[in-house]
Amino acid sequence: MATATHQTPTRKGPSAASAIPAQVNDHVRRWVAECIDLCKPDRVVWCDGSKAERDALLEQGVKEGTFVKLNQQKLPGCYYHRSNPNDVARSEHLTFICTPSQDTAGPTNNWMESKQAHAKLRGLFHECMKGRTMYVVPFVMGPIGSTLAKVGVQLTDSLYVAVSMGLMTRMGDVAWKQLGDDDEFTRCLHSLGDVNPERRYICHFPIENTIWSFGSGYGGNALLGKKCLALRIASFLGRREDWMAEHMLIMGALSPEGEKSYIAAAFPSSCGKTNFAMLIPPQRYKDWKITTVGDDIAWMWVDENGKLRAINPEAGYFGVVPGTNTKSNPNAVAIVQKDTIYTNVALVVLDDGSYDVWWEGKDGPVPEKAIDWQGKPWTPKLGTPAAHPNSRFTAPMINNPVLDPAADDPNGVPVTAIVFGGRRSRIIPLVYQAFNWMHGVYVGATLGSETTAAASGNVGVVRRDPMAMLPFIGYNIRDYLVHWFRMRKKMADCPRIFHVNWFRKNDQGKFVWPGYGENMRVLKWIIDRAHGRAYAKETLLGWMPSSNDIDLEGLDVSRADLESIQTTNPEDFKSEILSQEELFLKLAGDLPKEMVFQRELLISRL
Ligand code: GTP
Ligand code: SPV
Ligand code: MN
């Protein structure tokens, strides 16, 4: 039986305490000393980011039961981890923005007064690492040398988190070099605590550039470079410094004629960013090449020519596993063949006693028996999922066969189009284009999507998720929307803005659009529109392709099917407008006037 226990903190183990590397500056030394004093770890290990260190940590994790080593012939460098069953998704209700005034956090965030938050969390962190090892994990978000790149240092008592940060960020000595003598780094303190949801807090102090996360080992709650730094803290900094941190993939599209376009797309959690970012065009589009710059987060700024540019601050992927197969996402299948950590999928015992992984929607036959994500014996007859619906892979981006050549470029890539999208079984059409930037911001701000397993809570209810950033805006949404509107003024030529919905269903409850690689057909229209080439008709929602403008050749989708998901009945759309009120009411008197005008224009088009 696999021994991977959930979230065993490092209580014993061979990891020798390590000396403070010479290049660590005094600001860091002082802060780490304070945290040691607070948390009282038995040992402190300073991570250098080397391959040897990584291998040693993985081996140590196997001994301690944090990791199961998978069959190394089949899956070289791959390990398995199982989290506590109470800790399998982001906990939005336990996530706080901590500032002196509630107005800074605004109506969509949980807020805690910063002094009170520090006092509360200090109580939890007090001596929490007794008997444990503290890992000091220095990291850079963004390509080295980028003017936007940010340094963070995470202190954690989770070996799983330390190793995962090594995959997801540019981790190690490179960060000390980037930091130099500076005091400007995000202070990230993390402890598993006792992994108790009653004592779980993910607290952001944007004004102090600090993150304190206690009681969870799950990705978005615990890998603090990702959602906490690269979205919540970064969005706060971006507003102050005139750039944007967004929950967006960045993809390159090279046409057969050799024209390269870059597209940034914001879809809420578990709504298709990773899949879209690395799609393989269908046979009919085989002369197109799609490449990935990023699959989850984009940092964007306006360059000296007035053009919007983007970098991906991450260096790895933390992707949804279920449903990943050679048909839906062949590149993701390739990515997870080596140097990958699998979290909360199922294990299969092979004939020689070694372990393989399995999940719902994997290629090949369903195993007769497996060990499910909770460590329990599983057979298909049970009818329960073997892998958790939010089980994830953590893999370095260099594993990606279609990694864009500019993925590591500090100058980033120019953005031709921005795409918003949600998971909507009804009403919202497959694709449309906003009339202009101002309208596009409105379309993004009123984005709706059915909730998924990526966050704990109900699944499948439509909620407003502005720019797919509802859980990630690190400050007042009023100011966030104003920031979006104002960015237009800095741009000489702005990206065109679109909205897509791959998830519309028919009366039988089936997806009408095949999705995945076939989304290339919609992308083609988007690119042609962005370059001023394709036809569109003016509708209530925006510019839409007529049914002849989307190529259906070779697809099992009829023109009538396409029309059924490309039309919106004005009566249905009235209910959509009413449900947008949920957001407007939250903003109450603070709704930016551009939003009010756009809503009036929309209503007048009905
Ligand atoms: P996060 O990592 O949570 O931010 O998610 P994501 O936006 O990267 O979503 P991802 O690409 O991992 O897809 C999430 C789920 O949506 C998976 O189960 C996919 O199989 C499914 N999915 C992705 N693209 C499509 C599509 O075009 N059509 C349909 N029907 N499902 C899709
Ligand atoms: C998401 O939920 O949007 C994710 C996974 O990308 S997590 O890093 O956990 O936030
Ligand atoms: Mn995400």
Side-chain angles (χ1 to χ4, degrees):
M1 187 81 173
T3 52
T5 50
H6 31 259
Q7 298 292 0
T8 314
T10 309
R11 292 196 180 280
K12 43 194 185 308
S15 65
S18 56
I20 306 177
Q23 68 270 44
V24 176
N25 76 32
D26 286 341
H27 305 289
V28 176
R29 284 169 194 254
R30 213 170 304 133
W31 171 68
V32 174
E34 278 165 27
C35 293
I36 291 173
D37 204 40
L38 174 64
C39 303
K40 297 277 188 308
D42 277 16
R43 273 171 302 277
V44 180
V45 171
W46 293 73
C47 296
D48 63 15
S50 65
K51 167 98 173 67
E53 170 185 86
R54 183 185 159 67
D55 291 345
L57 290 176
L58 284 164
E59 280 311 310
Q60 182 190 329
V62 171
K63 287 203 194 91
E64 290 174 5
T66 302
F67 294 119
V68 170
K69 193 173 196 158
L70 296 171
N71 181 300
Q72 296 294 300
Q73 274 78 54
K74 256 185 129 147
L75 297 165
C78 294
Y79 291 78
Y80 174 78
H81 174 76
R82 189 179 286 135
S83 74
N84 191 305
N86 75 28
D87 190 30
V88 293
R90 275 182 299 101
S91 331
E92 295 181 1
H93 59 298
L94 305 172
T95 300
F96 293 83
I97 301 298
C98 308
T99 48
S101 143
Q102 178 157 21
D103 188 67
T104 314
T108 55
N109 281 309
N110 301 313
W111 172 75
M112 245 194 266
E113 196 278 321
S114 37
K115 281 207 185 76
Q116 275 175 11
H118 272 306
K120 187 179 193 82
L121 274 277
R122 217 176 280 124
L124 293 172
F125 277 107
H126 180 72
E127 300 193 345
C128 70
M129 296 189 190
K130 267 199 163 156
R132 301 183 186 179
T133 300
M134 174 193 274
Y135 298 93
V136 182
V137 184
F139 60 95
V140 182
M141 301 307 292
I144 304 301
S146 160
T147 48
L148 283 190
K150 298 271 177 278
V151 175
V153 182
Q154 177 162 354
L155 310 181
T156 178
D157 56 12
S158 162
L159 180 61
Y160 167 75
V161 167
V163 172
S164 300
M165 286 293 287
L167 292 171
M168 293 302 295
T169 70
R170 293 159 177 89
M171 191 274 268
D173 289 345
V174 65
W176 303 133
K177 203 178 279 166
Q178 172 95 11
L179 185 63
D181 288 330
D182 226 32
D183 189 19
E184 239 180 80
F185 63 97
T186 308
R187 291 155 160 82
C188 306
L189 179 60
H190 170 252
S191 174
L192 290 171
D194 50 1
V195 201
N196 177 351
E198 303 290 315
R199 289 151 51 81
R200 181 173 296 159
Y201 292 92
I202 296 95
C203 287
H204 306 70
F205 302 84
I207 296 169
E208 297 148 54
N209 199 4
T210 293
I211 303 160
W212 281 12
S213 165
F214 189 89
S216 168
Y218 171 76
N221 293 338
L223 309 179
L224 302 186
K226 194 172 176 61
K227 295 303 177 15
C228 302
L229 193 167
L231 286 179
R232 298 196 189 94
I233 298 283
S235 63
F236 178 90
L237 295 175
R239 171 166 176 265
R240 219 163 56 185
E241 301 163 3
D242 274 344
W243 54 279
M244 309 164 90
E246 298 297 332
H247 192 200
M248 290 180 177
L249 67 94
I250 310 164
M251 69 178 357
L254 182 64
S255 78
E257 294 78 32
E259 175 189 67
K260 183 93 181 234
S261 312
Y262 286 99
I263 294 97
F267 311 155
S269 300
S270 208
C271 289
K273 288 183 298 300
T274 301
N275 278 267
F276 196 47
M278 52 188 75
L279 76 79
I280 295 188
Q283 188 54 28
R284 222 175 124 66
Y285 290 82
K286 64 177 175 12
D287 297 332
W288 281 79
K289 176 90 182 151
I290 301 298
T291 47
T292 316
V293 178
D295 83 323
D296 199 49
I297 301 180
W299 287 356
M300 304 191 289
W301 74 100
V302 180
D303 71 9
E304 62 285 0
N305 300 317
K307 190 92 188 117
L308 191 68
R309 300 188 75 85
I311 54 169
N312 168 19
E314 302 190 274
Y317 307 125
F318 184 62
V320 176
V321 176
T324 302
N325 57 54
T326 44
K327 198 153 171 283
S328 64
N329 194 345
N331 285 318
V333 171
I335 287 168
V336 300
Q337 296 311 308
K338 61 172 188 189
D339 300 329
T340 296
I341 298 175
Y342 291 88
T343 303
N344 293 340
V345 298
L347 283 177
V348 174
V349 187
L350 299 174
D351 290 341
D352 63 358
S354 65
Y355 293 102
D356 192 4
V357 279
W358 189 78
W359 56 83
E360 278 70 19
K362 193 185 183 188
D363 292 312
V366 176
E368 280 163 29
K369 50 182 192 182
I371 304 164
D372 77 6
W373 66 275
Q374 301 197 53
K376 297 186 183 127
W378 180 91
T379 69
K381 284 198 207 77
L382 280 175
T384 55
H388 188 275
N390 191 40
S391 51
R392 296 263 168 175
F393 64 80
T394 314
M397 72 176 180
I398 47 162
N399 279 10
N400 186 349
V402 296
L403 187 66
D404 192 90
D408 220 13
D409 187 339
N411 298 314
V413 298
V415 180
T416 310
I418 289 175
V419 183
F420 293 110
R423 186 182 279 269
R424 296 297 301 271
S425 26
R426 296 180 56 245
I427 304 178
I428 305 300
L430 179 65
V431 61
Y432 64 94
Q433 180 186 0
F435 293 119
N436 52 37
W437 180 271
M438 292 303 189
H439 179 231
V441 175
Y442 180 88
V443 167
T446 54
L447 183 69
S449 195
E450 289 150 20
T451 50
T452 65
S456 51
N458 286 340
V459 168
V461 292
V462 176
R463 74 167 180 185
R464 293 298 130 191
D465 191 347
M467 279 75 177
M469 280 287 280
L470 181 70
F472 309 120
I473 303 170
Y475 59 103
N476 193 314
I477 186 171
R478 165 197 70 211
D479 302 329
Y480 172 79
L481 295 177
V482 169
H483 184 47
W484 261 89
F485 284 118
R486 288 197 184 150
M487 284 302 285
R488 173 68 187 93
K489 302 202 176 109
K490 297 180 70 80
M491 287 180 257
D493 184 16
C494 64
R496 307 301 187 259
I497 299 183
F498 299 81
H499 189 288
V500 298
N501 174 25
W502 314 138
F503 299 93
R504 186 109 162 226
K505 290 181 176 167
N506 60 18
D507 294 340
Q508 287 75 51
K510 288 250 149 51
F511 292 124
V512 177
W513 183 249
Y516 303 102
E518 304 297 349
N519 292 335
M520 181 67 220
R521 298 167 189 262
V522 175
L523 181 61
K524 166 81 164 53
W525 183 79
I526 288 175
I527 290 170
D528 284 342
R529 282 296 297 171
H531 292 292
R533 287 190 294 255
Y535 181 80
K537 56 183 192 222
E538 186 183 322
T539 73
L540 157 69
L541 297 186
W543 297 107
M544 274 195 203
S546 65
S547 65
N548 295 321
D549 298 318
I550 303 279
D551 169 32
L552 296 179
E553 189 68 36
L555 268 192
D556 194 18
V557 175
S558 66
R559 290 276 150 215
D561 292 335
L562 179 63
E563 266 157 40
S564 76
I565 55 168
Q566 189 53 37
T567 43
T568 294
N569 161 350
E571 282 311 307
D572 285 346
F573 205 72
K574 283 181 190 167
S575 68
E576 180 69 14
I577 296 173
L578 286 175
S579 85
Q580 295 176 357
E581 295 294 318
E582 174 198 329
L583 175 74
F584 300 148
L585 287 175
K586 261 194 194 143
L587 275 143
D590 278 346
L591 195 63
K593 66 179 187 315
E594 294 88 341
M595 289 289 293
V596 178
F597 296 151
Q598 287 296 335
R599 181 177 52 170
E600 291 306 309
L601 285 171
L602 171 59
I603 292 170
S604 70
R605 289 195 297 270
L606 273 172

